[in-house]
Amino acid sequence: YYLSIGDWQKCVDEYSQLVTRYPSDRVGQANIATCYAQLRDIPKAVEAARRAVELVPKGAAQRLNLSFFDSWSGDFQDGEREARAALELNPSSAIGYLTLAESQMGQGQLSQAAETYQKLESLSPLGASMASNGRADLAAYEGRFADAVRILEPGAAADLAAKNPDNAADKLAALARVQLLRGEKRAALAAAEKARANSQAVKVRFLAALV
């Protein structure tokens, strides 16, 4: 309940009691990692996620969780290692390719990240949507803002056509930021307003407000 409503400290308190009484509860270990991460206590999030992997070494989801928190902590090499281990267990995991690409970007392996996004794109329609976000991030990171625009605009249109307005809003918020970096203020404002019109998610509203 506390995890669902976003009361992260209460979430940690409850799961701490659970894993103290039942140290082998894999769900408790995985979920307390998420709650610690939301409190920005990344060392404890990594510790709990690693414990979940120890409990379920063949669990792809547990390894992806650890990969994500490893990269968030700046340990991109371990993030890559865990992402690859997860993909060996579940080669069709879209999140697996996404976390792998993020760990590669963190290590400056930009061409390898681009290849990982290509694999993600060919995986499924959802994978293609996720990959366009990643490819645009990569283009913007490299200063190729025009390329990022050419990726995000059709990507957002495809999400809207697929009746996936939240994914579209994510791309439109990113597009607004990229247009601002290009000095295209009018286009940036238009993209921000369109993002807001398609999603009331806090992150989308926040990014639109920044623009």
Side-chain angles (χ1 to χ4, degrees), residues 5 71 84 101 160 200:
I5 68 170
S71 292
R84 290 190 183 281
L160 289 173
Q200 288 300 304

Side-chain angles (χ1 to χ4, degrees), residues 26 32 34 58 76 83-84 95 119 129 139 211:
R26 59 186 177 82
I32 197 174
T34 298
K58 296 296 185 181
F76 297 109
R84 290 190 183 281
I95 298 296
K119 292 177 182 176
S129 177
V211 171

